[in-house]
Structures are given as C-alpha cells and as structure tokens.
Amino acid sequence: MFRVGSIFIPVTNLEEASLWYEKNLGVKKIQEWGEGSEKGIGYYFSDGLTQLGLVQVEKAASSEFQVNEKVRNAYFNFLVEDIESVYNQLRSNGVRTTQLSDFGGMTCFDFYDLDGNSFSVVNEVKDSPFHTDHVKKLQQREA
C-alpha cells in the first residue's frame, strides 16, 4: 500500500548542492521545480525506486535527531554493496565523514553534505532480519 517515494533534503544553495549530490551520490536529475525562493530539484538513483529531492531553504535545517546527550542519528541511511570503496571515494572527494565502525555486524559510517546534513551509510549483512532478501521474503508471504 505505502512505499517511500522521495526523501527531501534541505539545502541553502541549490546550485552548489546539486553539483555536490550529482558528484558524490551519483544521482541523476529528473526535473527542477518552482521559482524564486520556492524551488527544488528531483533526482533518481541508478538502483532503487526511492527518489531524492533537494529543496532550497533560507537557513540550514537539521537532518538528524538527538537520541541522547552523546548520540545523534540520521533519519535514513544509504545501503551500499562495497562500503569501503564508497567511504574512500567520499574521502578522496573531500567529503567530511566519520570513521568506519561496526554496528551489529554491519560496517557503517556517516557523512555530511555542504549544509552539514548527516547521512548514514551501511552495508547489508546476509543474516540480518533487515537484509533486502529477508524483507522481500516477508513481503511475499503477505501477498
């Protein structure tokens, strides 16, 4: 019934952000919308159905929430096949990242865009109940 259509990211400079996202995430432009101060750009990923929208904002907005005094969490994560390659590519492009770390058998790290928006990157673990293949089996049972 429901599926995630688009994820919207607030950016303060749409032109610079669009170049950054195209270079670092490999997204492809679908279409620009709006004019004046109400504008954005829609993108698609080469793999997957969820789209990404950059939305021009006047001032930076947080893309993460506070778990406790020491821990902040991104609202969503990106799944990748070769996390070390993605990590090295972002670092070589000058993108600010956290260190690679282990979380329940997954390797993960966070990175930040030009506005300081935080994003998490994880690799899928075959045995995990959250792995794409396992979720597909759950979906097929419901059909």
Side-chain angles (χ1 to χ4, degrees):
M1 187 161 127
F2 288 96
R3 65 185 167 128
V4 176
S6 297
I7 297 169
F8 296 96
I9 309 298
V11 297
T12 56
N13 185 318
L14 189 59
E15 289 179 27
E16 285 182 11
S18 67
L19 296 173
W20 189 92
Y21 277 84
E22 290 169 14
K23 175 181 180 182
N24 292 295
L25 273 61
V27 293
K28 308 292 184 202
K29 189 182 297 187
I30 299 171
Q31 184 175 358
E32 296 184 34
W33 70 82
E35 49 189 64
S37 63
E38 297 180 21
K39 59 185 177 177
I41 303 174
Y43 288 96
Y44 67 93
F45 292 93
S46 297
D47 187 18
L49 298 175
T50 303
Q51 299 169 18
L52 180 79
L54 301 180
V55 179
Q56 178 79 42
V57 296
E58 291 181 7
K59 58 183 176 180
S62 180
S63 64
E64 60 186 9
F65 58 93
Q66 193 84 29
V67 175
N68 58 43
E69 287 182 22
K70 296 180 181 176
V71 178
R72 298 182 66 82
N73 202 96
Y75 281 102
F76 63 91
N77 60 27
F78 291 107
L79 295 175
V80 297
E81 295 286 327
D82 184 353
I83 196 163
E84 289 184 14
S85 173
V86 170
Y87 179 78
N88 290 331
Q89 177 186 354
L90 290 173
R91 303 264 308 173
S92 70
N93 286 347
V95 174
R96 183 170 63 107
T97 69
T98 61
Q99 295 296 313
L100 285 168
S101 61
D102 180 73
F103 182 78
M106 293 184 301
T107 303
C108 57
F109 71 94
D110 292 343
F111 70 93
Y112 304 86
D113 74 1
L114 299 172
D115 283 292
N117 288 312
S118 172
F119 305 101
S120 180
V121 179
V122 299
N123 67 327
E124 290 192 294
V125 176
K126 265 299 197 206
D127 311 6
S128 168
F130 299 100
H131 188 277
T132 303
D133 292 343
H134 181 73
V135 172
K136 284 180 183 176
K137 288 178 185 173
L138 292 172
Q139 291 168 327
Q140 290 170 349
R141 276 192 230 157
E142 290 183 13

